[in-house]
Amino acid sequence: MPKVKSVSTSSVPRPEPAAPSRPAGRFDLPRIARRGIPEGAVPALALFACVRLAGILAVILTNALRGHPLVRTFAHSWDSRWYLHIAAQGYGHKMWISPQGAVQTDWAFFPLYPALIRALNTVLPLTPGQAALLIAWLAAGVAAYGVYVIGHLLHGRGVATALVGLWAVMPHAVELTIAYTESLFAALAIWSLYCALRSRWLWAGALAALAGLARPSGFAVAGAVVAAALYEAWRARGRVPWRLWAGAVLAPLGFLGYVLWVGARVGDLFGGYFKVQSAWDSRFDFGVGAARFVRALLLHGGGVVYTVALLVVAAALLLFALLCLERPPLVLAVFAGVLILLVLGGSGSFSSKPRFLLPAFPLLIPMARALARTWRVRPVQAVLVYGALTLVSLFFGAYVTAVAHSPL
């Protein structure tokens, strides 16, 4: 029987049908359908679309019951207003004085999303809010397809479908369908990781650079691509193509470029961006602020949003440990690990931390494998578990978007 080439911990090589075979390993390559489309992608994406459409309808219904504008919540919530203002006016035209007296400026928001909003608003008869939502929804679909492709590449159709399904019902998955950067960042990050897995280093670096222009957490994508490239170079004793080094150099340029641009505008090239973020109470304090908040929450209680946020962060730590036990490809482990580190070590509103973990889909791989096994043995039980997760996601998504007053 022909054997499958085992997968390294840093990247997934292209299939080699004529290569000598070995017993299949945990991360072996499955068969890919002709024309490069993985088997079962359409049903998985249909599941994702149905769940997220149900989430949108849940928010609309909640707004209707509360007498609020039915769809305004999607395009004009919290940070959305800043992105729309930047798209319309550019940078340097909006600021806010916080209750603590800090001057919060629009330079804290990365430029790719508002630039795309402005471009789409220019060429299509759409309002800026409609353009923002269209970008977010399309990017969410592209990201979900990337999740499926990576899941299929590593574990096959069943686990890939479960992985996409679980990503669709994360507690804060509703934020993939509002005018926020999570969908755009996730799409760029996921496909950058896929390119790294397939040793397409120039694409991996270019997409990582774009991710770095979408969110500060683009640092996690760049770090993952660079780590995977260096590990591959070490394994090959330096005998690697020039594209690998070029991709590694490209990867951090988006994040670094914007940080330096803000620094130049502020008058402090290397520290200006971090001063801007500090005014938003967003800085890396090694978890001091998060620890104080958790202590206060446990001692004095808090709203549902903060309790759920704490549970999500705790679950992320557990899932990361389970993921590491499975020895995943290095690029996925580094990406998920850096995102968790940024969430744990960063200050700022604790209610926003689960949103920062939305792109960290590798954390769901252990759950997806378990759900796929359950489906094969006890399909009714798998449906009941997934149905319960879906209901929780829909109700909480509607609550956090249309009812709660906590920052998203």
Side-chain angles (χ1 to χ4, degrees), residues 40-184:
V42 173
L45 293 179
L47 173 63
F48 178 85
C50 288
V51 172
R52 293 311 339 137
L53 177 60
I56 292 172
L57 295 177
V59 175
I60 292 174
L61 177 60
T62 304
N63 280 329
L65 293 175
R66 293 175 58 82
H68 294 165
L70 297 184
V71 297
R72 184 175 177 81
T73 306
F74 293 101
H76 298 275
S77 295
W78 297 92
D79 292 356
S80 302
R81 294 187 286 259
W82 288 85
Y83 288 117
L84 294 178
H85 191 276
I86 294 169
Q89 304 293 331
Y91 283 98
H93 297 286
K94 186 176 182 179
M95 63 179 59
W96 175 263
I97 307 299
S98 72
Q100 292 75 31
V103 179
Q104 299 172 337
T105 65
D106 51 16
W107 290 329
F109 298 90
F110 277 53
L112 183 60
Y113 188 45
L116 291 176
I117 294 171
R118 182 161 188 162
L120 200 60
N121 177 234
T122 301
V123 299
L124 294 178
L126 300 173
T127 66
Q130 291 169 343
L133 288 178
L134 181 58
I135 293 167
W137 293 351
L138 290 176
V142 172
Y145 181 52
V147 170
Y148 184 87
V149 168
I150 291 177
H152 195 286
L153 185 67
L154 300 180
H155 292 293
R157 176 176 179 174
V159 174
T161 302
L163 187 60
V164 172
L166 289 172
W167 196 57
V169 298
M170 290 181 70
H172 286 69
V174 68
E175 293 172 20
L176 293 172
T177 51
I178 64 176
Y180 266 46
T181 55
E182 266 57 45
S183 294
L184 177 62

Side-chain angles (χ1 to χ4, degrees), residues 35 99 119 157 187 260 264 266 277 291 319 343 376 378 386 400:
R35 300 180 184 178
R157 176 176 179 174
L260 293 176
V266 172
Q277 289 288 3
L319 290 172
V343 164
R376 290 193 296 268
R378 300 183 182 88
Y386 188 74
V400 75

Side-chain angles (χ1 to χ4, degrees), residues 169 381-395:
V169 298
Q381 183 178 343
V383 169
L384 291 175
V385 169
Y386 188 74
L389 292 174
T390 302
L391 289 176
V392 170
S393 176
L394 296 182
F395 280 108

Side-chain angles (χ1 to χ4, degrees), residues 159 162-163 166 169-170 315 319 322-323 326 361-374 385 389:
V159 174
L163 187 60
L166 289 172
V169 298
M170 290 181 70
L319 290 172
L322 295 175
L323 177 69
E326 295 192 0
F361 76 95
L363 298 176
L364 301 174
I365 290 177
M367 288 181 62
R369 297 185 67 203
L371 185 61
R373 286 195 301 266
T374 304
V385 169
L389 292 174

Side-chain angles (χ1 to χ4, degrees), residues 317-402:
L317 287 172
L318 174 61
L319 290 172
F320 183 67
L322 295 175
L323 177 69
C324 291
L325 290 176
E326 295 192 0
R327 294 181 298 171
L330 179 65
V331 69
L332 298 186
V334 171
F335 174 65
V338 173
L339 284 181
I340 289 178
L341 182 63
L342 293 175
V343 164
L344 292 178
S347 60
S349 174
F350 203 89
S351 63
S352 298
K353 292 185 180 294
R355 173 166 63 88
F356 304 152
L357 289 171
L358 270 177
F361 76 95
L363 298 176
L364 301 174
I365 290 177
M367 288 181 62
R369 297 185 67 203
L371 185 61
R373 286 195 301 266
T374 304
W375 171 258
R376 290 193 296 268
V377 179
R378 300 183 182 88
V380 174
Q381 183 178 343
V383 169
L384 291 175
V385 169
Y386 188 74
L389 292 174
T390 302
L391 289 176
V392 170
S393 176
L394 296 182
F395 280 108
F396 184 74
Y399 176 78
V400 75
T401 307

